[in-house]
Amino acid sequence: MILNASGGIEVVATAQGAQAVEVIRRERPDVVLLDIRMPDVDGLTVLRQIQELPAPPHVAMLTTFDTDEYVLTALRSGASGFLLKDTEPEQLAQLVRTLAAGGVVMSPKASRALLRGHPGAGAPQDADVARVGLLSERERDVLVLVASGLSNADIGTRLHLSAGTVKDHVSSILTKLRVTSRVQAALLAERAGLLGRGGDDATRGDG
């Protein structure tokens, strides 16, 4: 009801558990909101099956988080983010649009809990976080905006860069951080403390 009432968004289907993959294959949505826990099959199984589809949709996991220990696995399995089930209705439509544009969506409250809930995840000197030091200043600017959920086009507008240049920066970031998705890069940015940076220093325009 919330999404259908929002301009530019059409809910093409809803499905339970095991039916979800077939419905997604038939309807070919741009975005899927997937419950991480369902009655007959867990969301991680459905997520892996979705990722095997040709041109899979962007998937965000829905979670209560206080009892879900599977969020990291979901992100590593290709999810584009995670949302708490109590996300404010007025925020939900914007988050779906962000997903459709290729951005990352992560509930700030949930991401903080994720770091607290996994011992060592916030250690500033672990090997994964140390790789953030390999990034150039411009790549760090791009990473901060990736972690804020912006698409390549939005990042380009913010930094006065072409979409192709942003894409090249993102590819370089993923390679240097040894991760395979924007969400994994965003988590490293948070662990490295980059998300406490102000936005003003990420507006310099160069190639």
Side-chain angles (χ1 to χ4, degrees), residues 10-162:
E10 177 188 3
V11 179
V12 296
T14 60
Q16 288 285 336
Q19 302 173 343
V21 177
E22 182 54 39
V23 171
I24 291 167
R25 183 181 288 113
R26 182 178 69 246
E27 300 292 342
R28 301 179 66 183
D30 299 306
V31 171
V32 171
L33 302 181
L34 180 62
D35 199 328
I36 205 166
R37 291 187 174 183
M38 292 178 283
D40 56 342
V41 62
D42 70 270
L44 294 178
T45 298
V46 175
L47 174 62
R48 294 187 185 104
Q49 294 173 347
I50 291 173
Q51 294 304 312
E52 293 173 357
L53 297 174
H58 302 290
V59 181
M61 308 303 292
L62 295 173
T63 176
T64 54
F65 201 80
D66 54 346
T67 58
D68 286 330
E69 66 271 27
Y70 304 119
V71 174
L72 271 178
T73 303
L75 298 178
R76 290 166 179 160
S77 298
S80 295
F82 50 92
L83 303 173
L84 294 181
K85 292 182 179 179
D86 61 358
T87 297
E88 293 294 329
E90 59 269 21
Q91 295 178 344
L92 189 58
Q94 183 55 48
L95 293 172
V96 168
R97 293 188 182 96
T98 297
L99 282 168
V104 172
V105 294
M106 293 195 297
S107 161
K109 183 165 61 174
S111 59
R112 287 194 296 270
L114 175 65
L115 297 179
R116 289 196 304 268
H118 292 79
Q125 298 302 322
D126 71 40
D128 291 338
V129 171
R131 285 196 286 273
V132 173
L134 299 175
L135 303 181
S136 68
E137 185 64 23
R138 172 52 79 205
E139 288 168 344
R140 289 187 180 215
D141 291 342
V142 172
L143 177 57
V144 168
L145 296 179
V146 165
S148 299
L150 274 64
S151 66
N152 285 358
D154 290 335
I155 293 171
T157 299
R158 181 75 64 87
L159 299 181
H160 310 292
L161 302 174
S162 70

